[in-house]
Amino acid sequence: MLIGEVARRSGVSARMLRHYESLGLVRPSGRTGSGYREYSGEDVRRIFHIESLRSLGLSLREIGRALDDPGFTPSTLVVDLIRQTRERIAAETELLTRLRRIDAADPSGWQDVLQIVALLQALGSKSANARQRAALSSVDEVPVPVEALVEAALSEADPNVAGALRWALARSGGRGPALLAEGLGSPVAAVRERAVQSLAELPGDEATEQLRDALANPDVVVRGHAALALGARGEADAVPTLIDMIVAGRNDTDAADALSVLASDTATTDQIAARLVDRLAHDTTQAPARGRLTQALAGISGTRASHALVELSRDADRAVALTAAYLLQRRDAQ
């Protein structure tokens, strides 16, 4: 079989077949009387083997070794190919992500593209100062896509940079709340906390709704941040979680302050007082928790809270009774 016929049947060009021959990968079995290369069926099978191994990403040198070395084992090479392929996919994925973010910013010219690329690179810098400057400048210069800001915020450990990123996110609009909400499901606790902290600083109804959903999150830290943020927004849905925080002694002072803010709305004052009283009467509530719940009543106005304090001033727990009596005296003096 002459080289032209082999090229037609194998799909490998005559030029490439000559290159294989120059490397010693294929050796035509003979020559015609006119000196033309003549390939046997075995030669053609070897060509198909070469192409098959090339499709796996092997170099021509590795292919020659695989076909000619009887002691060659593929396991190590295959493992290395898997590693190289994963690295290549990761690099291509990173490039695709960067291109999508540039496209999302809708640059008007190449100068805008260069500015976006510079900001994206700065957000990934090892320098905290560079990352902070990038976050702060992302609002005034060509806007960085919100996806990039969210990714940076969820991975940022430096508190100053994290604050700058949350500030930028609060001014970015778009899909910020939905993207941050995805971070609440991360298997990494630190990422979940950064997500809810960022949501807490976003304005608008969508962020508020995501924070409401976060009250049911399995992570107690996420629930706590969400409740405090909702309390500051005047959302009564946060009341049960805030009271749970007081009972558990987890950010209980902040939780009590949030309840006090919520209680400034007369529509929720009695509701909050009733819930506090109910937890005080709960059989499983331990003494330290009862003391914290009693103190929380200090920030709740209205007759319901006052009546509760009168009852508590006669409580069997002396610490609770003294706290209630002191709070009543303060109320009388006001």
Side-chain angles (χ1 to χ4, degrees), residues 73-95:
T73 56
S75 57
T76 301
L77 183 58
V78 170
V79 168
D80 192 49
L81 285 171
I82 291 172
R83 177 188 58 78
Q84 292 176 18
T85 303
R86 284 175 173 165
E87 290 175 353
R88 187 169 62 252
I89 290 172
E92 292 293 325
T93 301
E94 182 179 351
L95 174 59

Side-chain angles (χ1 to χ4, degrees), residues 309-327:
L309 289 171
V310 170
E311 292 294 323
L312 290 168
S313 67
R314 299 190 287 267
D315 196 86
D317 186 324
R318 180 168 174 77
V320 169
L322 289 174
T323 299
Y326 170 71
L327 294 176

Side-chain angles (χ1 to χ4, degrees), residues 5-332:
E5 179 67 11
V6 173
R8 186 180 65 79
R9 293 192 178 189
S10 66
V12 181
S13 69
R15 181 179 179 181
M16 184 59 72
L17 289 172
R18 293 188 186 97
H19 181 56
Y20 287 171
E21 183 180 350
S22 71
L23 296 176
L25 285 173
V26 179
R27 299 177 181 86
S29 299
R31 295 269 181 173
T32 67
S34 302
Y36 292 108
R37 296 173 179 81
E38 193 170 38
Y39 294 83
S40 67
E42 186 62 33
D43 294 334
V44 173
R45 279 193 293 274
R46 184 176 175 91
I47 291 169
F48 279 116
H49 290 161
I50 292 170
E51 293 304 299
S52 295
L53 292 175
R54 279 189 68 192
S55 72
L56 297 179
L58 271 70
S59 68
L60 293 178
R61 180 180 179 182
E62 290 168 333
I63 290 171
R65 183 183 170 201
L67 293 177
D68 297 332
D69 184 357
F72 178 79
T73 56
S75 57
T76 301
L77 183 58
V78 170
V79 168
D80 192 49
L81 285 171
I82 291 172
R83 177 188 58 78
Q84 292 176 18
T85 303
R86 284 175 173 165
E87 290 175 353
R88 187 169 62 252
I89 290 172
E92 292 293 325
T93 301
E94 182 179 351
L95 174 59
L96 179 60
T97 298
R98 181 166 295 187
L99 289 170
R100 283 175 172 168
R101 288 173 178 170
I102 292 172
D103 182 57
D106 193 22
S108 59
W110 284 112
Q111 189 60 37
D112 287 350
V113 171
L114 293 174
Q115 283 185 292
I116 295 168
V117 171
L119 284 172
L120 291 174
Q121 290 175 334
L123 285 174
S125 170
K126 293 183 179 180
S127 166
N129 288 335
R131 297 197 302 276
Q132 186 173 17
R133 286 195 300 271
L136 295 174
S137 63
S138 67
V139 175
D140 299 326
E141 299 181 12
V142 177
V144 172
V146 67
E147 292 84 356
L149 290 174
V150 168
E151 180 181 337
L154 294 182
S155 62
E156 185 56 64
D158 185 286
N160 294 324
V161 181
L165 287 166
R166 292 197 292 268
W167 176 84
L169 273 171
R171 287 155 179 80
S172 65
R175 299 177 57 237
L179 293 170
L180 288 169
E182 292 178 9
L184 297 178
S186 169
V188 181
V191 172
R192 296 194 297 270
E193 184 170 11
R194 291 169 192 148
V196 72
Q197 286 175 326
S198 297
L199 271 173
E201 295 192 24
L202 292 188
D205 294 339
E206 186 180 357
T208 299
E209 190 59 36
Q210 296 291 359
L211 287 168
R212 284 199 195 97
D213 291 343
L215 291 174
N217 194 282
D219 188 334
V220 67
V221 174
V222 170
R223 295 199 302 271
H225 281 295
L228 291 173
L230 288 169
R233 298 180 187 213
E235 297 292 331
D237 291 345
V239 170
T241 303
L242 292 170
I243 293 176
D244 287 341
M245 293 168 67
I246 293 170
V247 171
R250 188 181 60 255
N251 287 352
D252 53 289
T253 302
D254 292 337
D257 289 342
L259 284 178
S260 178
V261 171
L262 287 169
S264 62
D265 181 357
T266 55
T268 60
T269 300
D270 285 347
Q271 174 195 349
I272 294 172
R275 285 184 175 273
L276 288 169
V277 171
D278 181 66
R279 292 301 292 271
L280 277 159
H282 204 282
D283 291 340
T284 59
T285 304
Q286 301 297 314
R290 296 184 77 246
R292 291 191 292 270
L293 289 166
T294 302
Q295 291 171 354
L297 283 167
I300 312 301
S301 59
T303 56
R304 186 69 179 267
S306 296
H307 290 160
L309 289 171
V310 170
E311 292 294 323
L312 290 168
S313 67
R314 299 190 287 267
D315 196 86
D317 186 324
R318 180 168 174 77
V320 169
L322 289 174
T323 299
Y326 170 71
L327 294 176
L328 283 170
Q329 289 177 358
R330 286 183 55 187
R331 286 192 178 220
D332 291 340

